């Protein structure tokens, strides 16, 4: 049996209740098969076995009090997956679906993504099954403070640097960082995604969305195409989706969809800058539902369906698909409908938004398919730039950060293309991203001996 198959089987046997983690491990390891022959030293040192096992997993109780004085208890997680090339780095997710398997899948993906950015960052991820939706600001603050009172022991500017993810935006980072600062009596760069006034970086809020569009533009350029006049579907309506729409608009494309977990809106006239302002206010300040967009602009609203299901059901065509909501949002059926309707490019703003069936359909039909660990790496890359600015105790201008982000996305694209070619898989961004991200980490692990 091949080493790869053995490792995948072992992972499934050891933690049978972690399907998302199995999916991520399988997706990465299967593409690493050619490295087994080329690097017998990795096999001998059991790098494949070691890379799927986190350095450390921390699970903790988070007690807090709601506005009515009731005691509530949630579970907190931090998975410190791999720090071979730099401090653990990866966001926190607050969502009722969070469990250890989800955090492990996200932390595992993060290792390779961070390696691709060219910056010295290891991989980690954390979060809680706490749901910020429907909670008051003071409840969110009390939860964040209790969460941080435990997490602060394990994180630090040189150890492990968390950031945001689903359900953790600027408000939550403010409460978390503020409490960490109080406990430590230190103002250090223990978080990224901070607001500008207390050590954040310009362009960090925009970075994942902008980066995803920069990556898609690079992919399109390989076929002498661009965003001008293209019809684009974006899913989600949170941080990543919002700035994906902004950048597509700047590059001349027309975004016609957004969604949240309750509904999808389809606006065939396009979500222009003014309508996007409405979405930002709706989602970031009023914390309302996307359905209000359809009410205000009198557009189609498909209840209970995500963007890809809605497009399939309504038979709507798009040229480019940018999934920016959550994992496994595009299934095989929706992927087949996208391809049938002429979609030429998919770039993943979200982490693992395509099921294995969907990813296979995109690859079999040779459409431009940029996997999340490459296409959405702009967020963590700019977090890396925030860490650099914090260490140097200075701030770069918007232009400086944005131009560095663009350079990084171009270099990730180049690494994917060149590595795929080197391994005889021209145009396969999945293989390119996985092997390029993996080999750097594997070489570092090898250099350390058995640690
Ligand atoms: P947000 O919480 O800001 O937004 C998430 C959006 O997705 C919300 O609109 C949410 O709707 C929607 N959503 C969640 N679950 C579903 C579902 N099952 N069906 C339909 N819509 C859903 O998170 P982000 O924008 O930060 O993150 C989005 C994705 O991007 C995630 O996969 C994340 O891991 C990934 N990512 C984020 C980075 C970042 O810098 N923020 C960096 C790299 C990747 P609702 O409000 O109803 O829950």
């Amino acid at each position: 049996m091949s080493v790869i198959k053995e490792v995948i089987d072992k992972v499934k046997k050891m933690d049978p209740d972690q399907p998302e983690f199995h999916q991520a491990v399988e997706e990465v390891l299967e593409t690493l098969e050619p490295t087994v022959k080329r690097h017998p030293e990795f096999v001998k040192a059991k790098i494949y076995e070691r890379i799927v096992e986190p350095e450390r997993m921390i699970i903790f109780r988070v007690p807090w009090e709601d506005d009515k004085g009731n005691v509530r208890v949630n579970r907190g997680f931090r998975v410190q997956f791999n720090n071979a090339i730099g401090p653990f780095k990866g966001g926190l997710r607050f969502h009722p679906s969070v469990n250890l398997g989800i955090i492990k899948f996200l932390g595992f993906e993060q290792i390779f993504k961070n390696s691709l950015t060219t910056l010295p960052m290891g991989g980690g991820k954390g979060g809680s099954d706490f749901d910020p939706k429907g909670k008051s600001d003071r409840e969110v603050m009390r939860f964040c403070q209790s969460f941080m009172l435990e997490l602060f022991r394990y994180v630090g500017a040189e150890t492990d640097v968390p950031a945001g993810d689903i359900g953790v935006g600027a408000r939550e980072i403010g409460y978390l960082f503020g409490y960490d600062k109080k406990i430590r009596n230190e103002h250090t760069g223990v978080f990224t995604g901070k607001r500008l006034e207390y050590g954040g970086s310009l362009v960090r809020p925009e970075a994942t969305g902008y980066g995803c569009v920069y990556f898609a533009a690079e992919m399109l350029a390989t076929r002498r195409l661009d965003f001008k006049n293209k019809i684009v579907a974006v899913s989600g309506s949170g941080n990543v989706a919002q700035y994906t729409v902004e950048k597509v608009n700047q590059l001349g494309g027309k975004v016609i969809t957004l969604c949240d977990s309750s509904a999808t809106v389809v606006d065939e006239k396009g979500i222009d800058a003014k309508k996007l302002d409405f979405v930002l206010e709706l989602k970031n300040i009023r914390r309302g539902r996307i359905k209000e967009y359809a009410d205000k602009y009198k557009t189609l609203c498909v209840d209970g369906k995500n963007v890809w299901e809605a497009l399939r059901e309504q038979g709507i065509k798009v040229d480019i698909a940018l999934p920016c909501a959550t994992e496994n949002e595009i299934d095989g059926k929706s992927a087949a409908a996208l391809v049938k309707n002429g979609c030429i490019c998919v770039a993943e703003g979200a982490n693992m938004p395509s099921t294995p069936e969907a990813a296979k359909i995109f690859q079999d039909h040779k459409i431009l398919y940029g996997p999340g660990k490459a296409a959405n790496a702009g967020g963590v890359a700019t977090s890396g730039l925030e860490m650099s600015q914090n260490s140097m105790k200075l701030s770069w201008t918007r232009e400086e950060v944005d131009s560095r982000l663009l350079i990084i996305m171009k270099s990730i694209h180049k690494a994917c293309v060149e590595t795929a070619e080197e391994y005889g898989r021209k145009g396969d961004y999945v293989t390119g991203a996985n092997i390029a991200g993996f080999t750097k980490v594997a070489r570092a692990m090898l250099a350390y001996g058995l640690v």
Side-chain angles (χ1 to χ4, degrees), residues 93 133 165-167 204 208 237-240 260-261 289 325 351:
R93 174 177 292 191
K133 259 199 249 90
D165 191 76
I166 291 179
R204 176 61 189 90
T208 309
S237 48
N239 171 269
V240 180
D260 59 21
S261 47
R289 308 309 293 157
N351 284 310

Side-chain angles (χ1 to χ4, degrees), residues 160-392:
D160 182 354
V161 186
D165 191 76
I166 291 179
V168 179
R171 173 182 63 171
E172 289 75 17
I173 299 277
Y175 293 144
L176 293 162
F177 178 76
Y179 210 59
D180 181 87
K181 179 179 75 59
K182 182 178 169 72
I183 305 167
R184 274 181 222 272
N185 193 24
E186 261 179 21
H187 196 295
T188 51
V190 72
F191 268 89
T192 59
K194 302 185 292 293
R195 281 197 204 274
L196 273 186
E197 310 82 57
Y198 56 89
S201 172
L202 284 160
V203 191
R204 176 61 189 90
E206 296 89 339
T208 309
Y210 279 17
C212 176
V213 179
Y214 290 151
F215 192 87
E218 287 296 302
M219 290 201 295
L220 289 167
T222 63
R223 296 191 185 169
R224 298 179 196 286
L225 297 166
D226 59 31
F227 268 96
K228 269 193 210 94
N229 303 319
K230 298 289 183 307
I231 308 292
V232 182
V234 174
S235 63
S237 48
N239 171 269
V240 180
Q242 292 166 8
Y243 291 103
T244 295
V245 175
E246 183 167 283
K247 188 51 77 178
V248 171
N249 284 341
Q250 287 170 11
L251 298 187
K254 180 161 95 170
V255 178
I256 60 163
T257 60
L258 283 174
C259 75
D260 59 21
S261 47
S262 318
T264 287
V265 294
V266 183
D267 182 350
E268 304 226 30
K269 291 197 185 120
I271 300 167
D272 60 20
K274 200 160 154 250
K275 292 173 180 171
L276 183 60
D277 281 346
F278 171 80
V279 174
L280 262 66
E281 201 256 341
L282 172 70
K283 285 290 170 185
N284 305 349
I285 298 169
R286 287 197 287 119
R287 299 182 189 274
R289 308 309 293 157
I290 199 69
K291 194 176 184 315
E292 288 185 42
Y293 180 100
D295 296 340
K296 183 167 168 71
Y297 295 107
K298 310 276 173 277
T299 68
L300 176 65
C301 180
V302 187
D303 282 328
K305 300 280 175 208
N306 75 23
V307 162
W308 319 108
E309 294 162 336
L311 290 178
R312 186 179 87 225
E313 274 190 14
Q314 306 285 326
I316 297 168
K317 296 174 187 243
V318 295
D319 301 310
I320 298 169
L322 305 175
C324 298
T326 193
E327 58 269 8
N328 292 328
E329 56 177 294
I330 310 185
D331 62 11
K333 269 200 216 157
S334 299
L338 278 170
V339 171
K340 184 167 158 262
N341 285 328
C343 178
I344 49 170
C345 173
V346 178
E348 298 181 339
N351 284 310
M352 210 168 74
S354 309
T355 63
E357 297 74 39
K360 185 164 183 318
I361 288 169
F362 297 146
Q363 290 185 297
D364 286 351
H365 287 83
K366 303 242 176 303
I367 71 165
L368 296 163
Y369 171 50
K373 67 173 73 61
N376 71 36
V380 73
T382 309
S383 279
L385 301 178
E386 182 174 334
M387 288 161 74
S388 305
Q389 294 169 78
N390 290 167
S391 303
M392 294 188 290

